[in-house]
């Protein structure tokens, strides 16, 4: 908010008058209260659901000012959270061993294979004894050996299967892939959650709602300001100091200001001095025109007084301690 610069020429004139009168007190510089507004918007478009803090109302930091309808972002958030839960269950299944009944079934298969192998070995011994007496053919003996070798291989396969079920199901590559899917799903859910949470916009600082630009039920484009906020910490004193006095001004220097109708002096501290001079009227440089050079100076009012200062209010500022 930038009121007309009616204070610039008057500041130089007032300084000249006070100096001519021999006033020993520091001169007054005319200025005004400046307000730095924040324009609050939601990142996603939607219908304005509620306007919780109408214009002119005082609010605290964190208090909700307005909310945009969350549909359909709330549904996409629910979908993303469901996908994240599914990915976590898959990863957990890959990391956990099989259930006890499945382990017991595999143990029974190992015992059956061991019994079959013992029988095959016994039958092979019998066939070898008979073969030495020429009671059986060589083909029967070879068949018994093949049966023994087959049962031995089946026993080894059953033991390996049981061992693999007792450790984590799946290879390390599958576990890493499942973990990556969990991270990706969680990132998408976090993004959707951020969008839903930003549909309700809260005040970032204590202050006053200066104006609102939409009514509940109206469509709000993405990024369009719904309300403007004037934080207490962004109300400032702005005044202009002549070129002949600017050398004595420094950041942190206290100032006092008075205004029409103010019951007490406004206390503030200088925090900004313009790096370049300005002219009271637009004239060219000359020795005589240097008296018309001024520097913009800004000061932060005391926190307990800031909320009562209205932007555009004219003030007379006097320098404090030097």
């Amino acid at each position: 908010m930038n009121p007309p610069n009616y204070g610039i020429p008057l500041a130089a004139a007032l300084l000249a008058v006070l100096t001519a009168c021999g006033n020993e007190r520091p001169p007054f510089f005319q200025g005004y209260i400046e307000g730095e507004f924040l324009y609050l918007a939601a990142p996603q478009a939607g219908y304005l659901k509620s306007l919780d803090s109408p214009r002119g109302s005082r609010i605290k930091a964190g208090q909700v000012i307005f909310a945009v309808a969350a549909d359909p972002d709330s549904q996409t958030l629910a979908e993303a959270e469901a996908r994240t839960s599914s990915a976590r269950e898959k990863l957990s299944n890959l990391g956990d061993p099989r259930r006890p009944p499945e382990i017991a079934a595999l143990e029974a298969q190992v015992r059956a294979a061991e019994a079959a192998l013992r029988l095959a070995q016994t039958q092979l011994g019998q066939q070898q004894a008979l073969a030495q007496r020429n009671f059986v053919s060589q083909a029967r003996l070879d068949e018994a050996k093949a049966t023994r070798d087959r049962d031995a291989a089946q026993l080894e396969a059953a033991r390996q299967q049981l061992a693999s079920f007792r450790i984590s199901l799946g290879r390390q590559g599958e576990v890493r892939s499942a973990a990556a899917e969990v991270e990706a799903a969680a990132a998408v859910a976090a993004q959707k959650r951020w969008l839903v949470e930003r549909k309700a916009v809260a005040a970032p600082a204590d202050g006053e709602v200066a104006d609102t630009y939409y009514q509940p039920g109206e469509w709000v484009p993405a990024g369009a300001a719904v309300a403007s906020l004037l934080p207490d910490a962004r109300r400032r004193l702005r005044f202009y100091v002549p070129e002949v006095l600017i050398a004595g001004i420094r950041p942190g220097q206290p100032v006092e200001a008075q205004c029409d109708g103010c019951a007490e002096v406004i206390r503030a501290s200088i925090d900004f001095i313009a790096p370049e001079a300005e002219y009271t009227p637009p004239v060219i440089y000359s020795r005589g025109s240097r008296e018309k050079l001024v520097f913009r100076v800004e000061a932060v009012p005391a926190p307990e007084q800031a909320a009562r200062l209205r932007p555009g209010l004219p003030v007379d500022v006097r320098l404090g301690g030097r």
Side-chain angles (χ1 to χ4, degrees):
M1 178 175 182
N2 293 308
N5 270 346
Y6 49 78
I8 299 178
L10 293 179
L14 179 60
L15 175 63
V17 171
L18 292 176
T19 303
C21 294
N23 193 340
E24 296 181 356
R25 299 188 63 191
F28 276 111
F29 306 106
Q30 290 189 352
Y32 55 87
I33 302 299
E34 171 72 7
E36 298 177 348
F37 295 85
L38 298 180
Y39 295 89
L40 307 179
Q44 291 287 94
Y47 289 100
L48 185 61
K49 180 180 179 181
S50 63
L51 192 61
D52 303 277
S53 301
R55 61 180 181 179
S57 59
R58 293 282 308 169
I59 57 173
K60 296 291 185 181
Q63 183 177 340
V64 174
I65 299 179
F66 67 90
V68 176
D71 300 333
D73 291 319
S74 57
Q75 285 83 359
T76 57
L77 172 59
E79 178 186 2
E81 289 178 338
R83 292 183 181 276
T84 303
S85 178
S86 175
R88 288 198 178 104
E89 290 294 333
K90 179 180 178 181
L91 177 61
S92 176
N93 183 56
L94 287 172
D96 292 339
R98 289 284 188 172
R99 294 186 297 272
E102 295 175 322
I103 299 294
L106 291 174
E107 289 174 343
Q109 291 179 13
V110 170
R111 291 194 297 269
E114 290 173 344
L117 180 59
R118 287 194 299 268
L119 176 60
Q121 288 175 337
T122 301
Q123 291 176 344
L124 176 60
Q126 293 172 350
Q127 294 298 323
Q128 288 174 338
L130 294 173
Q132 289 176 355
R133 299 178 185 181
N134 295 321
F135 289 154
V136 295
S137 63
Q138 185 64 35
R140 292 291 300 272
L141 180 60
D142 293 342
E143 182 180 352
K145 289 181 179 179
T147 301
R148 190 273 314 270
D149 293 342
R150 182 199 61 194
D151 290 343
Q154 289 179 347
L155 174 60
E156 181 62 22
R159 285 173 175 171
Q160 291 298 329
Q161 188 177 16
L162 177 60
S164 67
F165 270 46
R166 280 176 171 166
I167 63 175
S168 296
L169 177 66
R171 297 183 296 273
Q172 291 299 320
E174 292 175 328
V175 173
R176 289 193 296 269
S177 177
E181 290 179 3
V182 170
E183 292 180 1
V188 173
Q191 180 186 29
K192 301 300 182 182
R193 189 177 302 107
W194 184 88
L195 292 174
V196 170
E197 290 174 351
R198 295 316 184 272
K199 288 297 184 77
V201 178
D206 294 355
E208 179 181 340
V209 178
D211 203 355
T212 57
Y213 310 110
Y214 291 90
Q215 295 298 322
E218 292 184 322
W219 178 260
V220 181
V226 175
S228 57
L229 174 69
L230 177 58
D232 296 340
R234 296 202 175 192
R235 301 171 194 248
R236 312 170 59 78
L237 275 68
R238 177 175 291 180
F239 57 99
Y240 295 85
V241 176
E243 176 259 346
V244 294
L245 294 180
I246 195 62
I249 306 297
R250 65 183 186 278
Q253 185 173 354
V255 297
E256 296 179 348
Q258 296 177 348
C259 65
D260 296 337
C262 292
E264 59 181 356
V265 173
I266 303 169
R267 300 182 306 279
S269 175
I270 294 175
D271 71 339
F272 174 78
I273 302 172
E276 297 181 355
E278 304 174 21
Y279 278 112
T280 47
V283 295
I284 61 173
Y285 276 104
S286 69
R287 182 175 299 275
S289 67
R290 275 191 286 179
E291 295 179 355
K292 299 177 181 179
L293 283 174
V294 293
F295 285 81
R296 176 166 56 92
V297 179
E298 297 182 5
V300 179
E304 64 273 12
Q305 294 180 310
R308 299 193 296 269
L309 303 180
R310 315 301 297 181
L313 177 68
V315 292
D316 294 324
V317 182
R318 185 191 299 275
L319 298 178
R322 307 297 293 272

